[in-house]
Amino acid sequence: MRRHRRIIGVFGSGRHSHEEWVVPLARWIAEAGFDLLTGAGGGVMSVAAGAFVQVE
């Protein structure tokens, strides 16, 4: 049986990081067992990716 991946996408400003919202969100995504999809840009997407990979 094929298992579906659970993916949450985080996209936003490429200029502004909005760390106060994005860091807790990305950590929750990782801790809840989801995979993260971003646009690989700067700002929100970069902060989300960084916070996501720091969760063990």
Side-chain angles (χ1 to χ4, degrees):
M1 178 175 224
R2 188 173 175 170
R3 183 175 173 255
H4 293 281
R5 294 176 70 177
R6 299 178 337 148
I7 302 170
I8 294 180
V10 174
F11 298 88
S13 174
R15 294 184 186 162
H16 305 288
S17 64
H18 300 287
E19 290 183 32
E20 65 279 3
W21 300 330
V22 175
V23 170
L25 173 63
R27 288 181 181 161
W28 176 86
I29 292 169
E31 291 167 354
F34 291 93
D35 291 325
L36 176 68
L37 173 69
T38 72
V44 165
M45 296 165 285
S46 178
V47 169
F52 182 86
V53 300
Q54 289 180 2
V55 174
E56 295 182 18

